[in-house]
Amino acid sequence: MTQNKGFALDKTRGYFNKAGVDVMAFDDIYPSGHQSGVSVLMHGKRVATNGDVRFEQTPGQWQPTPKQLTREMDEAENTIRTVLRYPDMDAHLRGFNPLVYPDYEFEYAVTVKGMKTGVVVTLDLNEPIPAEYAGKLCFNLELFPGDLFGQPWIMDGRQGIFPRQPNGPTQQQPTNYDRTGHLPEIDGGANRKRLTGDNQAGYNPMIADDIIAAPYAVGRRFTVRPDDAYSRFTVESKTTDLKLYDGRMNHNNGWFVLSSEIPQGAVKGAIEWVITPNVVEDWLYSPVVQVSQVGYRNNQPKAAVIELDKREEARQPVLLTRITEQGEQPVKALEATEWGSFLRYNYLKADFSDVCQEGLYRVRYGSSASCIFRIAPDVYDRGVWQPVLEYFLPVQMCHMRVNEKYRVWHGLCHDDDARMAPANYNHFDGYAQAPSTLTKYAPGKHVPGLNHGGWHDAGDFDLRVESQAGESYILTLAWEAFQVDYDATTVDQDKKVVEIHQPDGKNDILQQIEHGMLSVVGGYKALGRLYRGIICGNLRQYVLLGDSAAMTDNVNSDDDRWVFTENNPVRELTTAAQMAASARALRGFNDELSRDALTAARELYDVTDAADKARAAKVHAAAELLLTTGEEKYRAHLLSEIGFIAENIQQVGWIAARALPAMHDEAFTQQLGKAMVALKANLDELSAETPYGIPYRPHIWGAGWDIQRLGFQYYFLHEAFPEIFGPELVYNALNFVLGCHPGSNTASFASGVGAHSATVAYGINRADWSYTPGGVVSGTALIRPDFPELLTFPYLWQQTEYVLGGGSSHYMFLVLAARKLLSE
């Protein structure tokens, strides 16, 4: 490591560091999620990111991004040099969906060099930029807006305040390339305008010219948060002007952007910025005490996880206190054991499982403290899993009007579903239609029968078959395992009206299972096959922030959503399994729908080619069909696949465990049990890697959903083989979601649940910086390589998004599972 007592490159960590300030360079790879390029972390917070070349001063998520070619760290020179190329023609393969790629292809290098008081960022081009891109190609640095509202800045002596909303005036910014890309034609007509949404007045994110905010300031030296020693940093440009833009003017989810236009004729050193963060030399990360924001059952294992700065050598006493009518009183000193290092922190653990007296508690570590939580036998009995059924699922219901007393969550929506998607078409959200529609319907023709059931997936308002069938499936398994009987909502399918907190005498969980199957089975009957998804056809509709009823006019017209189909054996057999299970739940509740779901499941099982990649899905379908019908052919298939099951125990072990009661075969049970021992050993090994007692290897996205899914699957392993699988992983997964997770933000991922929860989320009301109770966000993300982050910001899908098909329903299942296991 370079001993310059300044910003030194640590090659083992992969970034520059000085005390509590880090500068990262092109370690992150998610530009559309505001995670890439040059990033600045100051005293425990990420303040700036996406330092890189862009084709716009305030780009949106569908604008072009570069492909990273090489990244070289040189400790002797104290530099990170990254070579990139525009355009990135493979972006879609990594989950990014730029609509078009500019014709101009070029390579460039960004070098970040650590200095005594900051870093120097230099842009080198291979050739001068063409004249037509002058004033457009630029080097940007994005500033996180959530911490800047109402805070000051200074540009060359001129001062300003970061506004809460974007303020005019505006200016027109030509893009110099056609952002509409290649759009399909329907019914033989030229429909570019109609499909891009240009027939709708006003802003369109795909039009060739864009309206952006005029810069708030122009100059050569810019300082952020001059008032705050922990957030203050300065950017000085040596080559061309800095301009401060508000990216929210043309994209609601934008950030503040500091931008320098690349000068014409420049090649080497085209851009040179000096970034000087203020370093508080004696700063240490404040200890964070992590516990469940809800609390614990009396007999539940309980432990606080304490997160510390790795440089902190001193240890403080750990104290459990109890809150009574007389105030906060000490209960006992807790022994803190050294767990070790994970990501960028050290961890202690303090167990207090022996504390069983009912009450309100808090764990204190020195001057830091946890939230206040309960220990009580009824801690999971009210307002913990119920918001999923009371709020989240009703609010997400498509093809309905959803009321909550005086409030209308959304009007009757998408009653005009749906038109057949264009043939041979790749949709900007990842759907793809084959050269054939695979049905009797021609592209653009209305498909009747698709305007019933289903839930909006997250904030996108689309219906993916895996989220619809998957949601019904998880709810079915919860209903079967825990006999959920809860009624707080009226669901009137005939009138297409939902009334939250108005009981109708029907079990809410069965009504929700029914709603999912109405969409999946209805689509199967209408199309003669499963739909892949139902989604709007243009970006103007897709970016809708507001009432879903505003997306279409509810009569059959050009604004109807599109329905996509596909040949996908894995998805078809998985959906068959989910329909077969849902058919069980619907018996006696909606017998006709139950029969139709089972018929469709049988047909898919019989006609779908289960090649190697689909073998696991066929095992799943056979297991659920066996449990539903008891028929020998499904049992025989599982018996014939025991070798495959044992070899792929991590993927299908929980499925085989569910089928075990219907197998009645000792040899099958013994062979499965042997494989389970190896699976448990693997899970134990992975769980030991983290202080949270669960397998957790963060990548980019928050891992909350994956951990919930693992806990859900693990429950069935425990039920089938309790002598191998104890219940601890179920509790640990639940505690992780409820607040015992890395990073300074210890909020419960379940919105509205617990003392402190994610109440700013990427849901249908994200434009209001609000939330839907019972929605479960994706959770703490990883800023590569080692910074866990959960921002209070509604537009980061990788941290705060809600989804269907597992997010909230897996969480609800975990709560019910913990309650059952702790009652046994």
Side-chain angles (χ1 to χ4, degrees):
M1 186 188 302
T2 304
Q3 300 298 318
N4 65 356
K5 296 184 180 180
F7 281 83
L9 172 62
D10 183 341
K11 200 169 182 179
T12 61
R13 298 165 77 180
Y15 52 83
F16 302 92
N17 169 261
K18 183 178 181 181
V21 177
D22 306 313
V23 177
M24 298 169 172
F26 295 92
D27 206 344
D28 245 325
I29 54 173
Y30 198 24
S32 62
H34 303 280
Q35 288 184 223
S36 77
V38 179
S39 298
V40 181
L41 278 68
M42 297 185 65
H43 309 107
K45 291 185 177 182
R46 186 167 60 118
V47 298
T49 191
N50 271 7
D52 198 1
V53 174
R54 291 290 183 267
F55 275 81
E56 294 89 8
Q57 283 81 359
T58 57
Q61 70 189 78
W62 291 284
Q63 271 68 66
T65 55
K67 182 174 184 177
Q68 187 167 309
L69 301 179
T70 62
R71 180 178 183 268
E72 298 176 353
M73 295 185 289
D74 187 330
E75 283 188 299
E77 294 295 324
N78 207 31
T79 60
I80 299 176
R81 184 176 187 272
T82 308
V83 177
L84 305 100
R85 182 182 66 220
Y86 268 105
D88 182 1
M89 301 301 292
D90 300 321
H92 66 286
L93 300 176
R94 297 191 303 280
F96 314 138
N97 293 298
L99 292 173
V100 293
Y101 304 92
D103 293 334
Y104 179 42
E105 299 182 14
F106 67 102
E107 289 187 10
Y108 63 95
V110 178
T111 301
V112 182
K113 182 176 179 63
M115 307 297 285
K116 185 175 181 179
T117 59
V119 297
V120 177
V121 180
T122 305
L123 170 66
D124 295 322
L125 304 173
N126 281 6
E127 60 184 25
I129 64 171
E132 61 265 30
Y133 288 97
K136 190 59 184 171
L137 270 170
C138 51
F139 191 90
N140 291 346
L141 182 68
E142 298 179 0
L143 313 178
F144 174 59
D147 291 337
L148 293 179
F149 298 146
Q151 305 301 333
W153 54 261
I154 298 174
M155 176 82 85
D156 288 359
R158 179 185 174 189
Q159 310 82 28
I161 301 294
F162 289 101
R164 180 160 290 276
Q165 72 287 328
N167 296 320
T170 63
Q171 64 185 37
Q172 191 160 336
Q173 184 68 49
T175 63
N176 294 318
Y177 62 91
D178 179 7
R179 287 201 330 196
T180 59
H182 301 288
L183 293 167
E185 294 186 356
I186 291 182
D187 303 334
N191 291 286
R192 174 180 298 264
K193 261 192 142 178
R194 182 178 67 201
L195 297 179
T196 57
D198 291 356
N199 57 321
Q200 303 178 46
Y203 160 82
N204 192 305
M206 291 176 70
I207 58 178
D209 292 329
D210 215 355
I211 300 297
I212 66 173
Y216 290 132
V218 179
R220 288 298 184 98
R221 183 179 173 88
F222 178 75
T223 300
V224 180
R225 291 301 308 273
D227 62 314
D228 180 21
Y230 297 92
S231 304
R232 181 171 66 247
F233 70 96
T234 296
V235 179
E236 184 177 3
S237 176
K238 299 294 188 179
T239 54
T240 186
D241 283 343
L242 297 167
K243 297 182 180 180
L244 176 63
Y245 289 97
D246 195 331
R248 301 170 300 158
M249 181 62 77
N250 55 325
H251 301 286
N252 296 71
N253 57 3
W255 291 25
F256 296 112
V257 182
L258 195 62
S259 181
S260 283
E261 297 160 14
I262 298 175
Q264 273 191 275
V267 180
K268 300 298 181 183
I271 296 290
E272 183 180 328
W273 283 6
V274 180
I275 301 177
T276 308
N278 184 65
V279 179
V280 180
E281 295 285 352
D282 61 351
W283 176 87
L284 290 174
Y285 180 70
S286 296
V288 179
V289 183
Q290 301 161 353
V291 296
S292 166
Q293 294 282 342
V294 167
Y296 308 87
R297 287 278 293 262
N298 307 63
N299 59 332
Q300 185 173 349
K302 313 171 191 73
V305 176
I306 302 168
E307 187 175 79
L308 303 173
D309 194 310
K310 279 188 177 180
R311 300 169 296 162
E312 177 63 81
E313 296 179 357
R315 294 293 181 263
Q316 303 296 324
V318 185
L319 181 67
L320 179 70
T321 65
R322 189 163 182 252
I323 290 83
T324 70
E325 292 178 353
Q326 286 73 44
E328 188 171 1
Q329 301 174 348
V331 173
K332 63 180 296 188
L334 301 180
E335 181 181 355
T337 59
E338 297 280 346
W339 184 88
S341 297
F342 179 64
L343 299 177
R344 62 168 48 203
Y345 301 116
N346 281 339
Y347 289 87
L348 309 176
K349 295 192 74 173
D351 190 276
F352 55 102
S353 299
D354 60 329
V355 178
C356 300
Q357 183 180 0
E358 183 173 345
L360 295 168
Y361 292 87
R362 170 180 272 155
V363 177
R364 291 190 173 275
Y365 176 80
S367 60
S368 298
S370 73
C371 65
I372 295 174
F373 58 89
R374 293 179 67 214
I375 295 177
D378 64 347
V379 74
Y380 298 131
D381 290 356
R382 185 171 184 180
V384 182
W385 59 269
Q386 295 89 342
V388 178
L389 279 180
E390 284 187 35
Y391 289 98
F392 181 70
L393 288 175
V395 168
Q396 297 298 122
M397 292 172 79
C398 189
H399 306 121
M400 307 291 277
R401 174 187 170 108
V402 181
N403 304 320
E404 182 195 355
K405 306 306 179 183
Y406 306 160
R407 181 179 191 173
V408 179
W409 281 88
H410 66 76
L412 174 61
C413 60
H414 305 118
D415 205 32
D416 44 10
D417 276 346
R419 304 174 70 209
M420 198 67 229
N424 199 28
Y425 177 60
N426 290 323
H427 188 272
F428 48 80
D429 198 33
Y431 296 93
Q433 186 60 49
S436 166
T437 67
L438 307 176
T439 73
K440 65 182 180 182
Y441 296 99
K445 295 302 181 182
H446 179 70
V447 180
L450 299 181
N451 61 339
H452 300 279
W455 303 274
H456 299 137
D457 191 8
D460 302 337
F461 300 117
D462 61 326
L463 310 181
R464 299 182 305 148
V465 71
E466 63 267 39
S467 62
Q468 309 305 306
E471 191 73 18
S472 293
Y473 179 62
I474 300 163
L475 294 174
T476 291
L477 269 53
W479 179 78
E480 290 181 330
F482 314 117
Q483 295 300 299
V484 178
D485 187 5
Y486 196 77
D487 178 23
T489 307
T490 293
V491 178
D492 190 326
Q493 293 289 353
D494 293 329
K495 295 181 179 178
K496 296 195 170 187
V497 172
V498 174
E499 299 286 352
I500 294 175
H501 293 152
Q502 187 70 37
D504 61 359
K506 297 179 181 180
N507 191 334
D508 287 348
I509 199 167
L510 294 178
Q511 288 180 304
Q512 292 297 333
I513 295 167
E514 175 188 50
H515 197 69
M517 285 296 102
L518 284 171
S519 177
V520 177
V521 175
Y524 185 85
K525 293 173 70 175
L527 294 162
R529 62 183 310 111
L530 295 174
Y531 61 72
R532 167 67 189 96
I534 301 173
I535 190 169
C536 58
N538 68 66
L539 264 183
R540 182 62 174 123
Q541 294 172 305
Y542 183 80
V543 299
L544 172 68
L545 296 175
D547 192 335
S548 55
M551 182 176 285
T552 71
D553 58 13
N554 279 340
V555 297
N556 298 136
S557 63
D558 288 352
D559 70 0
D560 297 356
R561 293 193 296 184
W562 294 348
V563 55
F564 287 78
T565 59
E566 65 175 351
N567 281 320
N568 187 320
V570 173
R571 199 150 17 235
E572 287 154 5
L573 287 166
T574 300
T575 304
Q578 294 161 343
M579 287 196 291
S582 299
R584 296 195 300 270
L586 292 173
R587 286 173 181 163
F589 185 81
N590 186 331
D591 287 327
E592 181 181 359
L593 185 58
S594 173
R595 288 191 295 270
D596 288 344
L598 181 55
T599 297
R602 289 179 187 274
E603 291 175 356
L604 285 169
Y605 181 88
D606 290 339
V607 304
T608 303
D609 179 21
D612 288 343
K613 290 184 179 180
R615 283 180 75 180
K618 187 146 190 176
V619 166
H620 194 184
E624 294 299 343
L625 281 163
L626 173 62
L627 292 171
T628 303
T629 68
E631 293 180 9
E632 177 60 26
K633 76 173 185 176
Y634 305 120
R635 177 177 173 274
H637 181 76
L638 294 175
L639 289 172
S640 71
E641 288 284 60
I642 183 58
F644 172 81
I645 292 170
E647 291 172 3
N648 296 272
I649 196 69
Q650 187 167 350
Q651 181 181 8
V652 296
W654 72 278
I655 296 167
R658 282 187 39 73
L660 205 56
M663 293 302 295
H664 310 296
D665 187 284
E666 187 62 27
F668 182 91
T669 301
Q670 288 183 0
Q671 192 167 348
L672 188 61
K674 290 179 182 178
M676 292 297 182
V677 173
L679 174 59
K680 180 59 163 63
N682 178 253
L683 289 172
D684 287 346
E685 182 179 348
L686 293 173
S687 296
E689 294 179 356
T690 81
Y692 303 102
I694 50 169
Y696 174 47
R697 291 178 175 176
H699 178 54
I700 291 177
W701 275 69
W705 301 332
D706 294 334
I707 289 167
Q708 289 173 171
R709 181 173 62 250
L710 174 62
F712 160 78
Q713 295 173 355
Y714 185 91
Y715 172 81
F716 296 106
L717 298 173
H718 169 74
E719 287 293 288
F721 296 96
E723 70 282 6
I724 300 174
F725 300 93
E728 292 78 15
L729 194 144
V730 172
Y731 307 145
N732 293 343
L734 178 59
N735 289 338
F736 188 94
V737 173
L738 289 177
C740 203
H741 47 247
S744 59
N745 188 344
T746 61
S748 161
F749 297 162
S751 291
V753 176
H756 174 49
S757 68
T759 53
V760 174
Y762 192 96
I764 66 169
N765 50 3
R766 59 191 179 276
D768 302 317
W769 287 60
S770 191
Y771 70 102
T772 305
V776 177
V777 302
S778 37
T780 306
L782 179 70
I783 307 303
R784 289 167 35 135
D786 63 0
F787 182 67
E789 179 184 78
L790 179 57
L791 292 172
T792 301
F793 191 66
Y795 297 111
L796 285 178
W797 46 84
Q798 73 271 29
Q799 296 187 23
T800 62
E801 186 177 18
Y802 301 141
V803 292
L804 269 293
S808 293
S809 51
H810 277 149
Y811 158 74
M812 182 176 76
F813 189 100
L814 278 180
V815 179
L816 293 166
R819 188 174 72 165
K820 177 178 181 290
L821 293 171
L822 291 164
S823 299
E824 292 176 346

